[in-house]
Amino acid sequence: MNAYETMTPHQRQQEAQRLRARYEALRDMDLRLDMSRGKPGKEQLDLVSDMLTVLHDPADCLLDETDVRNYGQLSGLRAAKELFADLLGCKASECFVGGNASLQLMYDTIAKAYTHGLLHSPRPWSKEACVRFLCPSPGYDRHFKISQSFGMELITIPMLPTGPDMDLVEAYVKDPQVKGIWCVPKYSNPDGIIYDTATVARLAALRPAAPDFALMWDNAYCVHEFEGAFVPFADILSLCRAQGNADMVYEFASTSKITFPGGGISVLAASEDNQRYLQALMAIQIISYDKVNQLRHVRYLQDRDHVLALMARHAEILRPKFHCVLDLLEREIAPLGLAQWQKPKGGYFISVNTLPGLAKRTLELCAQAGVKMTPAGATFPYGKDPSDRNIRIAPSVPPVEQLSQAMEVFCVCLKLAALEALA
Amino acid sequence: MNAYETMTPHQRQQEAQRLRARYEALRDMDLRLDMSRGKPGKEQLDLVSDMLTVLHDPADCLLDETDVRNYGQLSGLRAAKELFADLLGCKASECFVGGNASLQLMYDTIAKAYTHGLLHSPRPWSKEACVRFLCPSPGYDRHFKISQSFGMELITIPMLPTGPDMDLVEAYVKDPQVKGIWCVPKYSNPDGIIYDTATVARLAALRPAAPDFALMWDNAYCVHEFEGAFVPFADILSLCRAQGNADMVYEFASTSKITFPGGGISVLAASEDNQRYLQALMAIQIISYDKVNQLRHVRYLQDRDHVLALMARHAEILRPKFHCVLDLLEREIAPLGLAQWQKPKGGYFISVNTLPGLAKRTLELCAQAGVKMTPAGATFPYGKDPSDRNIRIAPSVPPVEQLSQAMEVFCVCLKLAALEALA
């Protein structure tokens, strides 16, 4: 029973009046705060300004006799592959280096499954009567939208504190129409959960009925701790290979939250056989992604140690912002029992689960007071949260002082929504 | 009748001996020259080195209150759209700014036609029994490969000195299975032909049976004169709109041969209705293309006049290379009547039509002597030149002295091939 339920109707009315007055005062401040997307803030962007000029002379653009300014090298610069291999623990030969968006590499992998089929597809997915895809939820809305855009049937898999509910996943993959699963294995979007070793092992050892089942492994936050030491992770490509599933996994990562979100580089890591197959298709689509920018990143980021040192500096900027959000939730919401949340140590989100039925109304009130959050439901397939309770908070953009205002708005709105529900 | 046919067998034998000796001497020089692709040479890349540092400070990355380093702005920076609109004569609102490859925008347009359909498609092309595409030939191999990769039936349309044979095009588009045509309207690849006004008008006024017929307008060489003054061209979007075909045309261009081939920016220009439709699909695929690089280009290229001034400097580098090739052909081949060719004033190619049956053998001999050219047949659908006569020469990479060696090899090889054919 939450604190409001134990109140008398009169007490609740008084509390509502008090909150309404505070809400109106906050609304009149004419705030315009955006916490809807996992975007780095300005201070983080400024941190990597040397990126801009790391190549400043034609001679800087030569690498192993290759002039990166010119055409060629479909799969990317060898040095860029080595950088990503160093970060992910896979082989450079397993890397395809893309443009500024790993999302595009994910989309294109699915698109090619539809138009041409994957390496082990009996036929292109467009020729299948039905394609079903597993969506651990709450999850990343853009993943689900890719699947939805291609007309797949989205299957919700509950997220546990250890990762996706593997009993359910193992049951579902017996269906040959189930063609894949979306995973964010480290600091999952939005819960910030790190899949535990057993979950990762069970995913690598899946025995899907579909020969072209795709383990879509979006390692978006692989080096993105904001609290504590770097948490190592296993190379999913090796794990899958050891289980006879070498061609099942497609891993994605990018520098979007290491350098510039609007101008980074990305990677698709997959088995050498997958690379051969996919690159033959990609050769029709592009001559190569931007190699000048790849070289900028190689020169600027250097290697894993250097990247981790840079991430520690990002962490210093992000940590107070996450603390601010968590502190306010702890102080304002925890005593009332209106919601629960994870306390992540990395990634870009805090995932709040309110009492059932409060998410949409809370965010509606927030929006009216100038605080924009990810729409309620977005973290579930088809944008529909069956319990209307999950809210994704992205604290990275606003400075701490604005953040604490925004969180005050949020807490007031959640309380008002809870009181409205009881009225 | 060519000069060799008028010789006696003995004279031909003597000529072959002489050429064979010269060929062997050239082969022994161990040349390694690549004339296979329309790539700018190093001198051209160095011309635009200021691109590298045009953004050197965080403050440089702000544009109209937008921080280009961060996420957002799917369709590209307003200023980048204005730059392309200035070059192409269309409206900024008709531009979608892409990454370093217009090829990718072309591929993705076709891919989306297959997976989702175009704006006026009754159904996705993947659900059509048969899709046919018109391929003016000789043409650009990468266009044809996109169509081929999606399993289309490729229909060869002969190129006339005025552009594609429009009588044929108008006849073919009565077939509802004919869904589009590939065009390079200015300095066509490889012939270097500028479509004449009547051809462009007839293309804009087509009455295709397919409601989703796509006029794929690859304006790759829109400002790429190497000889003489800039040749203005009509805005194809306006022309189509005036004919009631506003949504029929998809125009593409890029800075690949203005700044860096490996790190430029590209554009897809199409009606505002097409933009709305396509951008809704693209929003699933990408958050935006690289806006940092878009801003680099905006700051460096400025406007149309500034671009044309830069292109004049490219022209100074390219002109002697084209002259070298044309002079050698004129001196060595013209008197013998073994081939014919256009004399383009822009673009990146010289298209040589040998006597029938000589192209493949000529290029085989060239390759053995270390001179790599675009494979024979590449300029035709399915890589098959029915007359085995078209050879695409790309003179832009080698310095003039190497080019004259390469062309000597080429001329000797063509003569040997002609003599072999008569033997």
Side-chain angles (χ1 to χ4, degrees), chain A residues 3 27 30-31 46 93 104 109 154 156 166 187 199-200 255 277 286 302 323 334 358 361-362 381 388 391 402 410:
Chain A
R27 199 183 51 192
D30 213 14
L31 301 174
D46 289 349
S93 56
Q104 187 178 34
T109 302
L154 312 190
T156 300
M166 286 308 299
Y187 304 125
T199 298
V200 174
T255 67
Y277 176 79
I286 195 161
Q302 299 176 29
H323 283 184
L358 301 187
R361 178 60 181 154
T362 301
D388 183 28
I391 293 175
Q402 287 179 22
F410 175 81

Side-chain angles (χ1 to χ4, degrees), chain B residues 231-248:
Chain B
V231 179
F233 54 90
D235 169 32
I236 188 69
L237 272 63
S238 300
L239 294 182
C240 287
R241 191 165 45 235
Q243 296 293 337
N245 278 331
D247 303 332
M248 179 177 75

Side-chain angles (χ1 to χ4, degrees), chain B residues 219-416:
Chain B
N219 215 340
Y221 308 106
C222 53
V223 290
H224 297 63
E225 279 72 20
F226 58 75
E227 183 101 60
F230 169 69
V231 179
F233 54 90
D235 169 32
I236 188 69
L237 272 63
S238 300
L239 294 182
C240 287
R241 191 165 45 235
Q243 296 293 337
N245 278 331
D247 303 332
M248 179 177 75
V249 60
Y250 303 85
E251 181 174 25
F252 304 89
S254 79
T255 66
S256 290
K257 293 173 185 87
I258 300 174
T259 61
F260 296 142
I265 61 173
S266 57
V267 70
L268 158 55
S271 73
E272 290 171 5
D273 283 344
N274 270 333
Q275 288 292 350
R276 260 187 297 277
Y277 175 80
L278 288 172
Q279 287 178 28
L281 294 175
M282 286 168 172
I284 311 294
Q285 185 175 17
I286 195 160
I287 298 172
S288 85
Y289 280 92
D290 186 337
K291 297 192 302 294
V292 179
N293 207 31
Q294 289 177 22
L295 186 54
R296 260 186 215 107
H297 280 76
V298 167
R299 293 272 161 78
Y300 181 73
L301 294 177
Q302 300 176 29
D303 57 25
R304 185 170 170 279
D305 285 348
H306 201 259
V307 169
L308 291 179
L310 172 60
M311 296 314 287
R313 298 177 63 200
H314 280 291
E316 282 168 36
I317 299 168
L318 286 169
R319 199 181 311 119
K321 299 187 180 192
F322 278 83
H323 283 184
C324 169
V325 171
L326 290 168
D327 289 352
L328 268 155
L329 288 172
E330 203 59 50
R331 197 173 73 212
E332 295 290 324
I333 303 301
L336 299 174
L338 302 180
Q340 292 184 307
W341 51 91
Q342 303 286 332
K343 292 175 189 67
K345 297 190 167 181
Y348 265 70
F349 303 106
I350 291 166
S351 174
V352 174
N353 284 311
T354 68
L355 298 175
L358 300 187
K360 212 174 267 179
R361 179 60 182 153
T362 300
L363 294 187
E364 191 176 30
L365 288 166
C366 281
Q368 286 165 14
V371 175
K372 191 178 163 193
M373 302 241 184
T374 311
T379 54
F380 281 79
Y382 306 109
K384 283 179 197 152
D385 175 358
S387 312
D388 184 27
R389 60 198 301 257
N390 188 248
I391 292 175
R392 186 181 84 165
I393 299 179
S396 49
V397 170
V400 169
E401 54 280 21
Q402 287 178 24
L403 202 54
S404 83
Q405 283 185 320
M407 283 309 295
E408 193 189 347
V409 171
F410 175 81
C411 293
V412 167
C413 293
L414 174 53
K415 291 178 198 174
L416 278 173

Side-chain angles (χ1 to χ4, degrees), chain A residues 231-351:
Chain A
V231 179
F233 55 89
D235 168 32
I236 188 68
L237 272 63
S238 300
L239 294 181
C240 286
R241 191 165 45 236
Q243 295 293 336
N245 278 332
D247 304 332
M248 180 177 75
V249 60
Y250 303 85
E251 182 174 24
F252 304 88
S254 80
T255 67
S256 289
K257 293 173 185 86
I258 300 174
T259 61
F260 296 142
I265 62 172
S266 58
V267 69
L268 158 57
S271 72
E272 290 171 5
D273 283 345
N274 270 333
Q275 287 293 351
R276 260 187 297 276
Y277 176 79
L278 287 173
Q279 286 179 28
L281 294 176
M282 286 168 172
I284 310 294
Q285 186 174 18
I286 195 161
I287 298 171
S288 85
Y289 280 91
D290 185 338
K291 297 192 303 294
V292 179
N293 207 31
Q294 290 178 22
L295 186 55
R296 258 186 216 108
H297 280 77
V298 166
R299 292 271 161 78
Y300 181 73
L301 294 176
Q302 299 176 29
D303 57 26
R304 183 169 171 281
D305 285 347
H306 201 259
V307 170
L308 291 180
L310 172 60
M311 295 314 287
R313 298 178 62 201
H314 280 291
E316 282 169 36
I317 300 168
L318 287 170
R319 200 181 311 119
K321 299 186 180 192
F322 279 83
H323 283 184
C324 170
V325 172
L326 290 168
D327 289 351
L328 269 156
L329 289 172
E330 203 59 51
R331 199 173 70 210
E332 296 290 325
I333 304 300
L336 300 173
L338 302 179
Q340 292 182 307
W341 51 91
Q342 303 285 334
K343 292 175 189 67
K345 296 188 167 180
Y348 266 70
F349 303 106
I350 291 168
S351 173

